[in-house]
């Protein structure tokens, strides 16, 4: 399946940062974990934006590539997920991404994914909308049944040709013969120097260019079309949920605080507080698979 060639917007630079967005900050004494209060806001909302991060995929067993999973072999994952790394050593980067692709191809949607998808389908019948704005690069939201998904960091299951620019859905396992059995993460695993002509190649007629994962590397710009859609959703939502994200990767880290600055209630669901917790009205701490499903369950006011 061929998709539109990717376009980019300089303002959408992907980067890691602990910078705190300026703007109104919620009084920490007013931060609420009252689920019944949140449920009242949920019942009134017409347009709900749900921002998801790696913690949601972790509920399905996908490593977050932070903390104990931050290194692949002897390299930090962030050092491999860069255009410079791919240019210097495409074999190494493809081994890393082959490992990640094989991981996500084997995973199933969690209670978090299923609760979001069920909520979207249910509320659509009521003339209400749910959009998922995700930093996750797997396909678990769609597997669960979510229809309105904006993937701001791209997809592990798509490739983009370095020569002709075509983007293609690719769920082959392995993605090419030379990568079969490769990508093991152990620190003592020897590196495989796969010849560049044996790495994934474009199948468009007369192209045969080198393919790369269609993900947004650190230091690259985000898809302008996706960002335009995100902007619209940020402007119209009247309830926002920030689920399973550390809120340190930009520009996604500023989405929740930006919505909160309009006076819209924002609820954070995460294992811990984050640099952006103080901007939000609600914070529900614990595994998202435990805290989120009851938050999105049918409200007594809904006509079922």
């Amino acid at each position: 399946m061929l998709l539109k060639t990717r376009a980019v917007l300089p303002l959408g630079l992907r980067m890691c940062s602990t910078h705190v967005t300026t703007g109104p900050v919620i009084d920490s004494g007013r931060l609420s974990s009252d689920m019944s209060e949140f449920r009242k806001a949920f019942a009134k909302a017409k347009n709900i934006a749900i921002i998801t991060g790696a913690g949601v995929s972790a509920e399905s067993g996908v490593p977050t590539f932070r903390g104990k999973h931050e290194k692949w072999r002897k390299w930090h994952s962030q050092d491999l997920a860069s255009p410079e790394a791919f240019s210097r050593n495409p074999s190494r980067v493809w081994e890393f991404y082959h490992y990640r692709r094989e991981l996500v191809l084997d995973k199933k949607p969690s209670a978090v994914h299923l609760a979001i998808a069920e909520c979207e389908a249910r509320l659509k019948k009521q003339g209400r909308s749910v959009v998922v704005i995700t930093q996750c690069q797997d396909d678990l939201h769609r597997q669960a049944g979510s229809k309105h998904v904006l993937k701001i960091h791209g997809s592990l299951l798509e490739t983009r040709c370095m020569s002709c620019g075509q983007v293609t859905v690719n769920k082959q396992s392995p993605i090419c013969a030379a990568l079969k059995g490769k990508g093991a993460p152990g620190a003592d695993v020897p590196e495989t120097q796969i010849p560049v002509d044996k790495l994934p190649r474009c199948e468009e007629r007369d192209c045969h260019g080198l393919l790369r994962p269609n993900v947004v590397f650190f230091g690259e710009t985000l898809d302008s079309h996706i960002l335009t859609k995100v902007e619209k959703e940020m402007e119209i939502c009247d309830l926002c949920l920030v689920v399973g994200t550390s809120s340190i990767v930009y520009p996604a880290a500023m989405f929740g605080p930006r919505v909160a600055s309009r006076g819209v209630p924002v609820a954070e669901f995460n294992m811990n507080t984050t640099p952006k917790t103080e901007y939000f009205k609600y914070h529900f701490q614990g595994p998202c698979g435990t805290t989120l499903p009851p938050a999105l369950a049918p409200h007594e006011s809904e006509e079922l």
Side-chain angles (χ1 to χ4, degrees):
M1 175 182 176
L2 295 180
L3 306 179
K4 290 183 180 180
T5 302
R6 179 175 171 271
V8 295
L9 180 67
L11 293 178
L13 185 69
R14 183 187 178 192
M15 58 182 290
C16 266
S17 174
T18 54
H19 170 72
V20 177
T21 304
T22 58
V25 178
I26 298 294
D27 181 346
S28 59
R30 292 170 50 208
L31 187 65
S32 173
S33 296
D34 186 333
M35 182 61 75
S36 62
E37 183 183 336
F38 167 80
R39 294 279 290 164
K40 292 177 184 177
F42 171 74
K44 296 176 183 176
K46 300 297 184 184
N47 299 289
I48 301 173
I50 303 179
I51 301 165
T52 67
V56 170
S57 294
E59 297 270 341
S60 290
V62 179
T64 62
F65 295 97
R66 295 193 184 281
K68 66 179 181 179
H69 299 295
E70 189 170 7
K71 279 192 173 183
W72 177 83
R73 297 181 182 168
K74 62 183 179 180
W75 295 281
H76 288 277
S77 56
Q78 187 175 332
D79 295 331
L80 295 167
S82 74
E84 294 80 14
F86 189 78
S87 177
R88 286 194 304 267
N89 196 326
S91 173
R92 178 188 299 161
V93 174
W94 257 121
E95 272 204 85
F96 171 61
Y97 275 97
H98 174 66
Y99 165 65
R100 294 187 63 182
R101 280 172 53 89
E102 294 297 302
L103 275 176
V104 303
L105 282 168
D106 190 46
K107 303 304 181 186
K108 302 297 181 185
S110 71
V112 180
H113 300 102
L114 295 172
I116 293 172
E118 190 281 331
C119 181
E120 178 189 350
R122 188 181 80 246
L123 297 194
K124 183 178 181 181
K125 296 176 182 177
Q126 303 170 23
R128 302 160 68 189
S129 72
V130 173
V131 60
V132 179
I133 300 167
T134 187
Q135 300 169 78
C136 301
Q137 297 173 337
D138 52 57
D139 200 39
L140 293 172
H141 278 300
R142 290 200 180 278
Q143 284 186 41
S146 290
K147 306 297 184 185
H148 195 181
V149 181
L150 300 177
K151 304 182 78 168
I152 63 171
H153 289 165
S155 173
L156 290 167
L157 303 180
E158 294 175 3
T159 57
R160 185 167 82 251
C161 179
M162 300 288 288
S163 297
C164 72
Q166 279 291 359
V167 174
T168 308
V169 173
N170 189 318
K171 298 183 181 181
Q172 293 176 203
S173 175
I175 191 170
C176 70
L179 282 167
K180 184 176 181 179
K182 307 299 183 185
D188 298 326
V189 176
E191 183 169 359
T192 303
Q193 290 294 341
I194 301 173
V196 70
D197 63 325
K198 300 298 183 183
L199 292 172
R201 311 298 297 196
C202 183
E203 296 183 357
E204 284 294 290
R205 177 184 291 184
D206 300 326
C207 181
H208 201 59
L210 176 64
L211 298 179
R212 55 161 279 179
N214 188 41
V215 299
V216 182
F217 288 147
F218 288 100
E220 289 188 322
T221 49
L222 274 61
D223 188 315
S224 64
H225 302 298
I226 298 294
L227 281 182
T228 298
K229 293 178 181 179
V230 170
E231 290 275 342
K232 179 181 177 181
E233 298 296 342
M234 294 293 96
E235 291 172 2
I236 67 172
C237 74
D238 51 5
L239 178 66
C240 179
L241 283 65
V242 180
V243 186
T245 173
S246 59
S247 292
I248 62 172
V249 177
Y250 283 76
M254 72 182 185
F255 294 162
R258 181 174 170 184
V259 171
S261 71
R262 293 199 289 112
V264 172
V266 180
E268 183 178 56
F269 295 78
N270 205 24
M271 288 295 294
N272 302 291
T273 57
T274 72
K276 299 297 182 285
T277 301
E278 61 184 338
Y279 291 85
F280 306 146
K281 185 171 183 178
Y282 304 101
H283 176 80
F284 299 100
Q285 193 156 325
C288 299
T290 300
T291 58
L292 190 69
L296 298 182
H299 188 268
E300 60 184 13
S301 65
E302 293 181 35
E303 295 181 7
L304 301 178

